[in-house]
Amino acid sequence: MASEVKVPTLGESVSEATLGEWLKQPGDAVAVDEPIASLETDKVAVEVPSPIAGVMGEHKVAEGATVEVGTVIAVVEEGGAAASSAASSAASPAPAASKADAPTKIAEPAGDGDPDDAPEAPDDQRRAIDGSSGKDGPADREMPTLSPAVRRLVLEHGIDPSRVQGTGKDGRLTKEDVLAAAKKQGEAPAPAPAAASPAPAAAKSAGGERAEERVKMTRMRQTIAKRLKSAQDTAALLTTFNDVDMTAVIAARTRYKDLFEKKHGVRLGFMGFFTKAACLALKDIPNVNAQIDGEEIVYHDYVDVSVAVSAPGGLVVPVIRNAEALSFADIEKTIGDFGARAKAGKLTMEDMTGGTFTISNGGVFGSLMSTPIINPPQSAVLGLHRIEDRPVAIDGKVEIRPMMYLALSYDHRLIDGREAVTFLKIIKDAIEDPTRLLIDL
């Protein structure tokens, strides 16, 4: 008996998605509720579970296709007869040749892979990536499924993917896994290719051969592009800057971080300070926490802070609800949970719905200064940057202090320059004197 697999409900106002990747192929054994496909919506990736235990049947939809809620995308055959047959067939001597003839499927990327040129690997390495055995016999182990972006990194760094433990979904390799393996490999000399092997990639590149890869944008990346461009086209964007002396916050963090972690089970980071400082400033300058709706201004008496988090498919902004009422520990726990679930692809639509103000920390990637773009319908975004020792004048003397640039991008239709400057000044004062956060100044 076969059961149909349909596109599940994806969330409020979301009616369609893109079939990003098949996690199970026809003939594969599946357990009840085991993910068999990954769908990409405008904001998150959603796994489609198997309704029954059995064997994966026909794929009704190809990868990359747009599907609506309720669409039948596959069938699962009940029982394990086909799986047992496939297993016994795999144990026979014949399958080695067929396995060599059938390269491992290359999955669509979870994120936006760079289209940089990728050097060509020697035969043995390329066979490992493609899943084929070459002239010397069948491959001796099951080769992992690789996305185009991961495949490019494997080729560039000369990594054998079958010898790297994947940390992604279902043990698949991620970019981070390949980069870690490349770092571990370090400066160890690569094994000399066999005499029959083709010339290395460098020699081929010198001969004029240049590779390109064309990858379809994920639905999430398309949505990010549309929303950011829409923000530029609709809002009157302006950015104002300030800098802040991080000495007091660094001292407080150094002094209390061990006690904080021991008591609350989470590390004390800088985001807790800036989130609390932002809540303080938003209370005094309510326009920064408001939004334009037609010819009306909507003011919020709560602060839902969208925190920009890096995920495999791109930048996502889960929301810290009622941040003004949360403690430092609650904020740090929430941010830590968002980061872990974003990396694992476990964020939900509800996690990213709403938000009245955004904080984006480009400093973790080394950014010195930027002009962030607002996340509509919000009216402002605070950009944090790297901490850098710089000479500053303190009481008439030059001292070296850990300084950070702050950037506030805002919709000038709603927020005046005076309000934007005042907002940043409140945050600057609170960070340079964290006692203000405790006494609401």
Side-chain angles (χ1 to χ4, degrees):
M1 179 179 177
S3 291
E4 295 180 334
V5 181
K6 298 181 179 180
V7 177
T9 301
L10 300 171
E12 184 179 356
S13 76
V14 180
S15 60
E16 63 180 24
T18 299
L19 202 152
E21 180 181 358
W22 282 110
L23 305 178
K24 292 292 183 179
Q25 298 302 313
D28 290 350
V30 296
V32 62
D33 291 332
E34 182 179 8
I36 61 173
S38 176
L39 300 176
E40 296 173 356
T41 69
D42 291 349
K43 295 183 178 181
V44 294
V46 179
E47 292 181 340
V48 181
S50 172
I52 60 172
V55 177
M56 188 68 197
E58 179 187 1
H59 292 169
K60 299 288 188 181
V61 177
E63 290 182 353
T66 298
V67 292
E68 297 183 350
V69 173
T71 301
V72 177
I73 59 174
V75 293
V76 176
E77 303 288 343
E78 188 174 4
S84 300
S85 174
S88 61
S89 174
S92 65
S98 61
K99 184 176 180 182
D101 293 337
T104 302
K105 180 183 76 64
I106 303 299
E108 289 293 327
D112 50 322
D114 297 328
D116 300 336
D117 296 342
E120 187 173 340
D123 268 354
D124 57 345
Q125 180 66 18
R126 188 165 60 252
R127 286 197 299 268
I129 296 168
D130 292 337
S132 59
S133 62
K135 297 178 181 179
D136 298 331
D140 60 355
R141 67 180 71 191
E142 184 71 19
M143 293 303 162
T145 299
L146 305 179
S147 72
V150 172
R151 183 176 188 270
R152 177 176 60 80
L153 286 177
V154 167
L155 288 168
E156 286 180 353
H157 295 283
I159 301 299
D160 182 352
S162 65
R163 299 183 182 277
V164 180
Q165 180 64 44
T167 61
K169 196 179 303 177
D170 293 336
R172 293 195 296 278
L173 292 184
T174 65
K175 293 181 181 179
E176 291 75 14
D177 295 333
V178 177
L179 292 175
K183 184 178 180 181
K184 185 177 180 181
Q185 182 172 284
E187 299 300 325
S197 297
K204 290 201 170 187
S205 296
E209 182 176 324
R210 303 200 303 171
E212 290 185 353
E213 182 181 18
R214 188 178 293 269
V215 179
K216 184 179 179 180
M217 293 174 67
T218 63
R219 177 176 288 270
M220 184 185 296
R221 175 54 57 185
Q222 292 178 48
T223 300
I224 291 172
K226 291 176 182 178
R227 288 176 62 83
L228 292 180
K229 185 56 182 172
S230 174
Q232 289 183 319
D233 292 340
T234 303
L237 288 179
L238 184 63
T239 303
T240 187
F241 299 92
N242 210 326
D243 62 358
V244 58
D245 185 345
M246 296 291 291
T247 300
V249 165
I250 291 175
R253 184 171 179 263
T254 301
R255 182 175 181 180
Y256 296 112
K257 65 179 181 179
D258 292 337
L259 289 174
F260 187 89
E261 185 170 3
K262 182 178 180 180
K263 179 176 181 179
H264 300 291
V266 65
R267 295 179 61 186
L268 177 60
F270 294 125
M271 282 296 291
F273 288 95
F274 279 102
T275 301
K276 296 297 287 185
C279 291
L280 189 67
L282 291 169
K283 180 180 178 181
D284 288 350
I285 315 294
N287 273 12
V288 182
N289 196 44
Q291 66 187 55
I292 294 176
D293 184 9
E295 296 182 352
E296 297 178 332
I297 299 174
V298 180
Y299 292 96
H300 306 100
D301 64 355
Y302 54 88
V303 179
D304 286 352
V305 178
S306 300
V307 182
V309 176
S310 181
L315 199 67
V316 293
V317 279
V319 180
I320 304 174
R321 312 285 177 186
N322 297 311
E324 79 286 354
L326 299 181
S327 66
F328 275 82
D330 292 332
I331 292 172
E332 295 293 353
K333 288 177 181 178
T334 302
I335 293 174
D337 176 63
F338 284 155
R341 288 197 287 139
K343 184 176 181 181
K346 299 295 184 182
L347 287 175
T348 66
M349 298 292 291
E350 289 72 21
D351 291 327
M352 289 178 284
T353 300
T356 61
F357 179 75
T358 294
I359 299 178
S360 179
N361 186 6
V364 297
F365 303 110
S367 173
L368 177 64
M369 187 180 292
S370 67
T371 55
I373 300 177
I374 64 174
N375 181 26
Q378 298 175 21
S379 298
V381 52
L382 175 66
L384 310 182
H385 302 89
R386 76 171 185 249
I387 301 171
E388 185 176 62
D389 286 343
R390 293 200 301 270
V392 293
I394 305 294
D395 297 330
K397 298 180 180 179
V398 175
E399 297 185 14
I400 303 298
R401 293 292 181 96
M403 305 296 293
M404 175 195 288
Y405 286 116
L406 304 179
L408 181 73
S409 290
Y410 57 97
D411 188 345
H412 210 352
R413 298 177 302 167
L414 174 61
I415 303 168
D416 294 332
R418 177 184 60 82
E419 294 173 316
V421 171
T422 303
F423 177 88
L424 277 186
K425 186 65 167 55
I426 294 173
I427 290 182
K428 175 182 172 69
D429 291 342
I431 295 298
E432 293 184 343
D433 183 7
T435 305
R436 290 172 173 266
L437 299 176
L438 301 177
I439 60 178
D440 194 20
L441 280 180

